[in-house]
Amino acid sequence: MTTHNNLINGSWTPGKTTSPNTNPSDLSDVICHYAQGDASDVDAAVAAATAAFPAWSVSGIQARHDALDKIGNEILARKEELGDLLAREEGKTRPEAIGEVARAGQIFKFFAGECLRLAGESLPSVRPGIGVEITREPIGVVGLITPWNFPIAIPAWKIAPALAFGNCVVIKPADLVPGSAWALADIIHRSGIPSGVFNLVMGRGRIIGDALVQHPDVAAISFTGSVGVGRGIAEACVKSGKKVQLEMGGKNPQVVLDDADLAQAVELSAQSCFYSTGQRCTASSRLIVTDKIYPAFVQALQERMARIKVGDARAAGTDIGPVVSQAQLEQDLSYVEIAKAEGAVLATGGSRIACHTGSGKEGFFMQPALLVDSTPQMRINREEVFGPVASVIRVQDYEEALAVANDTAFGLSAGIATTSLKYASHFKRHAQAGMVMVNLPTAGVDYHVPFGGRKGSSYGPREQGRYAQEFYTTVKTAYTLA
């Protein structure tokens, strides 16, 4: 079986070892083997990026635009092929995977346009005869550490702005899903971008990630992943003076008020909680439902869950694919048991499915779980599960719902289902989250607007859209005597 290697200084470079990439829908299916690098590979990649930075940082904006636009065009042209690979390695359903690939292509094309929209300010000084120019410049070599749940979109929304604003990149993708990142690296490699500007080093996070974070020639780190790892990265970056950007998850509330459209509330809750197997940092895992609508909502949601088809991610008609790995499956199941032990009632689901029905293929399949009669202080409502597991909290009114929604260490996304303009407007202002959805699923954001949260969910400048320049550039103020 072919081994896919790291990309260092424009050359495909073998790692010290290799690792198989296994399909979570069919554990007998090994997609390919991928290189596993070490700290010496990080050193080589950073050295290449450092050498390439002086020329790339002042390169023509048309050349940068053309390269990023070419990357975006190829991704879009190959979205079905790449979407099939993504579904095969990560477990997202094929339609969702194709949509993610399309988003990655659109991100590159958006930032191709940003290359041509670089802007500054020209101001008069308070001192006569002096002019002031405020400009943005690239920051240097950027280390990118990306997660497994969006294996092409998240690398895209980090790589594209980094390159557009003139930085050089070393990326470490998640060890569970190297295939999509490698395919993206191959497209970037053939785009005309000079050697050393973009580098891919695959391998274990505690080896490659740590080496990137500790490297003295890396100017900034952008990380998406767990809270524990993110906090460690933040501490290391502060000590060494690196710029740092963190996205670390959430415990997102979905409020359902008595006046909500029941069918709409049930559908958006099902989409938020269970689709993508609940493996989205913006997924709702806390359903906060007011008293009068609570019985009807719980019954209707159970009926909706009964129609969810769990199966092979690439099979037609599948609504939810497998959990990404054995470890993640065990974590999801353990939280169901913890919630039951603390007094929550398992209304439906919550068990492992041995294999995809009718196929005989063993995978990491789990029936979505709904826990009712839970309370805000239960662990199921405090800690991120990151799987198809949702809990319902019963509250008396909007005021209590808002208080419970904000009673969390996280603050990424929050949603409300209501027909009241008064409550919708109040919630948008007072929900302690970086993103708020009214009568929409909490999961699902556009590529041209800022992404990020508050409290324990995010640290540093926002990702995506024009706000990405806040992280990937530094501001310079220049004075000129007329």
Side-chain angles (χ1 to χ4, degrees):
M1 182 175 287
T2 301
T3 295
H4 289 330
N5 292 324
N6 292 318
L7 179 64
I8 300 174
N9 199 23
S11 298
W12 295 109
T13 306
K16 304 304 180 284
T17 60
T18 65
S19 178
N21 186 8
T22 302
N23 179 353
S25 292
D26 179 3
L27 304 187
S28 67
D29 176 26
V30 176
I31 299 161
C32 200
H33 284 79
Y34 291 83
Q36 295 277 291
D38 64 11
S40 67
D41 295 305
V42 173
D43 288 342
V46 173
T50 302
F53 178 71
W56 180 250
S57 64
V58 294
S59 60
I61 58 174
Q62 187 66 52
R64 278 191 237 162
H65 166 277
D66 292 349
L68 268 64
D69 193 55
K70 183 178 180 181
I71 293 165
N73 286 338
E74 182 170 346
I75 292 169
L76 292 172
R78 296 173 57 193
K79 65 182 181 181
E80 295 205 8
E81 168 207 343
L82 295 172
D84 191 73
L85 169 62
L86 196 161
R88 188 180 173 198
E89 74 166 350
E90 193 267 348
K92 192 170 293 180
T93 63
R94 194 170 186 275
E96 282 186 290
I98 292 170
E100 180 181 334
V101 172
R103 180 179 179 181
Q106 291 159 345
I107 288 167
F108 271 96
K109 291 181 72 66
F110 175 86
F111 282 105
E114 288 300 280
C115 294
L116 307 179
R117 289 189 287 266
L118 294 174
E121 295 180 80
S122 179
L123 303 172
S125 171
V126 295
R127 294 169 289 170
I130 295 175
V132 182
E133 293 175 310
I134 304 169
T135 56
R136 289 186 175 273
E137 296 181 358
I139 50 180
V141 178
V142 181
L144 308 178
I145 303 172
T146 58
W148 51 260
N149 61 324
F150 284 86
I152 195 167
I154 292 180
W157 84 45
K158 294 180 188 293
I159 296 167
L163 297 179
F165 297 126
N167 300 285
C168 292
V169 167
V170 180
I171 182 170
K172 190 216 87 68
D175 199 35
L176 277 173
V177 289
S180 296
W182 188 94
L184 178 57
D186 179 54
I187 293 170
I188 295 170
H189 177 54
R190 292 182 285 98
S191 69
I193 285 176
S195 296
V197 170
F198 173 82
N199 304 269
L200 168 75
V201 183
M202 299 176 287
R204 302 296 295 174
R206 64 177 180 271
I207 298 173
I208 308 302
D210 286 356
L212 267 177
V213 171
Q214 299 295 337
H215 202 290
D217 293 331
V218 172
I221 295 288
S222 179
F223 167 83
T224 301
S226 70
V227 173
V229 174
R231 286 175 176 168
I233 288 173
E235 291 175 4
C237 287
V238 168
K239 286 179 181 178
S240 62
K242 287 180 172 61
K243 201 170 186 180
V244 62
Q245 177 186 63
L246 307 175
E247 290 295 340
M248 299 177 290
K251 195 66 187 172
N252 308 303
Q254 173 62 58
V255 171
V256 180
L257 298 185
D258 289 341
D259 65 5
D261 180 304
L262 179 61
Q264 182 184 65
V266 166
E267 185 58 32
L268 67 87
S269 296
Q271 292 282 341
S272 292
C273 296
F274 307 120
Y275 279 64
S276 294
T277 324
Q279 297 175 154
R280 297 181 284 197
C281 56
T282 52
S284 290
S285 53
R286 292 186 299 145
L287 299 171
I288 302 166
V289 185
T290 49
D291 189 63
K292 291 180 182 178
I293 202 173
Y294 182 94
F297 175 82
V298 170
Q299 180 179 344
L301 182 56
Q302 287 180 260
E303 293 169 356
R304 175 66 179 86
M305 291 172 67
R307 300 194 300 272
I308 294 175
K309 183 179 179 181
V310 181
D312 188 315
R314 297 189 293 164
T318 295
D319 295 314
I320 296 176
V323 174
V324 72
S325 69
Q326 178 68 35
Q328 189 64 46
L329 178 61
E330 290 173 356
Q331 176 175 299
D332 296 348
L333 294 171
S334 73
Y335 269 103
V336 173
E337 295 306 313
I338 290 167
K340 289 164 60 180
E342 291 186 341
V345 175
L346 180 61
T348 188
S351 59
R352 180 173 185 176
I353 303 171
C355 62
H356 171 42
T357 304
S359 72
K361 297 177 180 177
E362 183 183 1
F364 302 124
F365 301 108
M366 177 181 174
Q367 198 68 36
L370 183 67
L371 294 146
V372 299
D373 298 337
S374 71
T375 61
Q377 296 309 313
M378 290 179 178
R379 284 183 62 189
I380 196 69
N381 291 318
R382 311 304 298 178
E383 301 171 11
E384 187 174 38
V385 178
F386 220 67
V389 180
S391 53
V392 190
I393 303 170
R394 191 170 190 161
V395 295
Q396 289 299 310
D397 51 28
Y398 169 74
E399 287 72 24
E400 186 182 1
L402 177 63
V404 171
N406 288 336
D407 181 21
T408 174
F410 297 99
L412 183 57
S413 184
I416 188 169
T418 181
T419 56
S420 166
L421 178 60
K422 171 187 172 182
Y423 289 136
S425 299
H426 190 274
F427 190 80
K428 284 190 289 184
R429 173 63 183 85
H430 294 279
Q432 296 171 4
M435 298 176 289
V436 179
M437 311 294 185
V438 177
N439 294 325
L440 289 165
T442 56
V445 295
D446 296 336
Y447 63 87
H448 69 301
V449 297
F451 178 97
R454 296 165 61 171
K455 299 192 278 189
S457 289
S458 304
Y459 181 84
R462 290 288 190 262
E463 299 197 89
Q464 296 202 122
R466 304 204 73 180
Y467 283 75
Q469 70 177 341
E470 297 297 331
F471 179 71
Y472 291 102
T473 64
T474 186
V475 174
K476 177 177 282 184
T477 304
Y479 294 85
T480 302
L481 178 64

